[in-house]
Structures are given as C-alpha cells and as structure tokens.
Amino acid sequence: MVSLHHYLVLSAILLIIGIYGVITRRNIIGILMSIEIIFNATNINLVAFNHYFYPRALWGQGFAIFVITLAAAEAVVGLSLVLAIYRNLKTLYVERINILKG
Amino acid sequence: MGKDDSFHRAFDFNKHETNLNFNMEIVFYLTALLLLFSSVMVVTQKSVFTSALYLAVALSMVAALFVLLNADFLAAVQILLYVGGILVLLAFAVMLSSVEQAKRETQVNEQWLPSLMISFGILLVLLVSLKRSSFLEAEIQKNHFYPTTEKIGHLLLGELALPFEVVSLVLLASLVGAILFSKKEKIDG
C-alpha cells in the first residue's frame, strides 16, 4: 500500500531537484523549467494531503488548480520577458544580463 | 449522495481491491522513478530543447500520480494546461531564441557543487522533519474512486468564488503584460 510518506518523500526530492536547477542553470528558460518542477512538487503535496486526510472534501485539489493557473500566468509573462531580453541583448545567460548597474 | 451510490453499483470499481493495491504499488514506483529521472535530466541536460522534452515526460508522470491519488479532474487539467499549454509555450521560446553554439557551452555555472550541498541539506532537513512529524499516523483511506469534477465545480463557484474571480483578474493582467512586453521596442530607448 502506498502511503502518504511515499508521496511526501517523492515531492521533497522533486523540490530539491528544482532548487538545484534554479541555482545552477545559466539559461533563463532552464530556470523557468526548474520553477515549473517546484510547482509540481507542491501540487503533489497538496493532492496527497487531500487524498490521505480528507478524501471527501476537495480543497487541496481546488488549491492545486489555483497553483496551476498561476504557473500558467507566470510562464506567459516570464517567457515574453525572456523574448524581450533576447531581442535586446542577444543572450539568455543570466550572468551576461548585467546592464542594471549600481 | 444517492447519485454516487447508484454510480458505484453500476460500475463496481472496488471489486478487485487487493489486486488493485498490488498493482498500484508497482505503478507508483515506476512512475516515481521515471518522474525523478526525467526531472534530473531537465536540470542537467545541455540542450534546453531536450530538457523541455524531458519536462513533458515529467509533467505527464505528475498527471499519472494525480490519477493514482484519485484526482481525475486535476490529472486532465495537468495534461491540458501544462503539457498542452505551458510546455508548448516553453518550446516556442526555446526555438525563437535558439543560439547555435549553446550545445558546446556548459549550461551549468561554477556554483554547482555548493548548490548541490545546499540542496541535499534542504532534503535532509525535510526528511528529518517528515520522520518526526505526527501526521504520518493518519488512517489510510481505502481506494474508493469518486468522480471529483462535479464537486470541484461546486467548490470553485461556491466557497472559492472570490479567489476564482481574483485569479481571473491575474490572468487578465498577465495577458496584458505579455502583449506589452512582446511589443517591438528597445529597452533603453
């Protein structure tokens, strides 16, 4: 029987994979993908708690829907920003985007 | 809940319960293995397009986990929004901004060893706090399948109506922001 513990450990490992990607990736789009992995770890957590504690009430799943919606909004704005940066600076590596002095 | 009961009698989902549980364990471990493998590939691949494809695998596996957790509507939303929407957007951004020499350059900065240690430190803290937590003794529910779509609809337009409307405002703002940022103009005038 798969218990809540399995899901929590899985989502913890997924979270640290995402954190590692956010810290080490040089490409902005790679960083955005790692953020998506972190959101998915959160969603697994929410749905697993919902399933194992309150299977009749669906508040965890409703919250996960909001997380997915906000992830979509974040991806839209983030990717249009990335494309604007690429048009102006011709690079996607975060250490080269350093025009903001001060 | 009379409707649910008749639904259950019509499709006896829980007839082969022990057999189902055995299979679910195998399915869980396979799904988790594939999910972890593909997400490690997402953060370590050199080509960003390849890691976008691995991200598709990872998101589909998360949808499979939602199915295992009896969240049928959320699994459909995951496939539709993530794999069908966000991932296509990511692939478009990768292809619009593809740099030819990117495959020969290293994609990981020089901080990878400290960040690996920080990540494992966070994992250690999480696992220790999981082991000490008291909610792990909660009763394990049997795997009764209930369709969740109707209840989520009632929830979203009932108790969660205010966040629902606020999120629609956020979506409108992000739409306007995306149009604003993708207009052709120089940042520094």
Side-chain angles (χ1 to χ4, degrees):
Chain A
M1 190 65 198
V2 185
S3 69
L4 177 62
H5 205 154
H6 291 78
Y7 286 101
L8 294 185
V9 170
L10 175 66
S11 92
I13 299 174
L14 209 58
L15 173 79
I16 64 136
I17 290 172
I19 289 176
Y20 175 77
V22 168
I23 300 176
T24 57
R25 271 292 199 180
R26 291 174 68 208
N27 198 314
I28 301 186
I29 301 177
I31 293 176
L32 281 174
M33 288 180 195
S34 310
I35 293 176
E36 300 296 334
I37 290 179
I38 294 179
F39 281 142
N40 275 286
T42 319
N43 279 345
I44 291 173
N45 243 348
L46 285 170
V47 179
F49 276 124
N50 192 168
H51 175 66
Y52 281 99
F53 287 159
Y54 304 103
R56 297 305 179 91
L58 295 175
W59 284 72
Q61 294 188 26
F63 205 86
I65 288 175
F66 286 119
V67 173
I68 291 176
T69 316
L70 292 180
E74 172 257 334
V76 168
V77 177
L79 288 174
S80 60
L81 272 175
V82 165
L83 288 181
I85 289 171
Y86 182 72
R87 263 207 315 271
N88 285 288
L89 299 180
K90 299 289 175 234
T91 183
L92 283 183
Y93 293 140
V94 283
E95 77 269 7
R96 288 183 202 158
I97 306 171
N98 51 4
I99 53 173
L100 197 64
K101 301 273 194 293
Chain B
M1 287 297 144
K3 213 165 112 194
D4 276 359
D5 289 343
S6 64
F7 185 75
H8 261 257
R9 248 177 278 120
F11 309 90
D12 197 357
F13 285 110
N14 308 311
K15 206 163 33 179
H16 310 289
E17 202 162 317
T18 53
N19 198 6
L20 194 71
N21 282 346
F22 178 65
N23 286 339
M24 271 177 74
E25 210 160 46
I26 295 177
V27 170
F28 173 78
Y29 281 117
L30 280 179
T31 312
L33 205 68
L34 200 50
L35 172 59
L36 291 182
F37 170 74
S38 53
S39 19
V40 167
M41 280 299 166
V42 168
V43 297
T44 55
Q45 275 293 311
K46 276 197 170 182
S47 156
V48 188
F49 193 73
T50 316
S51 55
L53 296 182
Y54 273 113
L55 188 64
V57 178
L59 297 175
S60 312
M61 287 307 115
V62 174
L65 284 181
F66 286 164
V67 172
L68 286 182
L69 287 167
N70 292 352
D72 52 347
F73 179 72
L74 209 57
V77 166
Q78 173 91 5
I79 295 286
L80 277 175
L81 257 174
Y82 262 115
V83 185
I86 296 177
L87 207 75
V88 171
L89 217 62
L90 277 169
F92 260 106
V94 171
M95 286 187 283
L96 280 175
S97 61
S98 71
V99 186
E100 280 301 314
Q101 75 273 14
K103 280 182 184 169
R104 289 187 292 278
E105 293 177 2
T106 173
Q107 293 291 317
V108 172
N109 60 16
E110 61 272 11
Q111 306 287 334
W112 65 272
L113 194 61
S115 64
L116 200 64
M117 289 192 294
I118 288 173
S119 306
F120 274 103
I122 294 174
L123 180 66
L124 207 66
V125 170
L126 283 175
L127 291 185
V128 167
S129 58
L130 265 183
K131 201 159 173 52
R132 291 185 171 198
S133 59
S134 59
F135 54 73
L136 291 180
E137 288 97 42
E139 56 170 317
I140 294 171
Q141 305 284 336
K142 276 188 186 172
N143 275 300
H144 288 295
F145 175 74
Y146 288 102
T148 58
T149 311
E150 186 187 349
K151 279 188 182 175
I152 286 182
H154 282 296
L155 190 68
L156 281 183
L157 290 178
E159 288 124 315
L160 287 179
L162 182 65
F164 189 71
E165 298 298 327
V166 172
V167 126
S168 72
L169 274 183
V170 171
L171 283 178
L172 178 68
S174 76
L175 197 70
V176 175
I179 294 169
L180 186 72
F181 287 135
S182 46
K183 272 197 313 188
K184 272 202 185 305
E185 60 178 356
K186 290 279 182 189
I187 285 179
D188 46 8

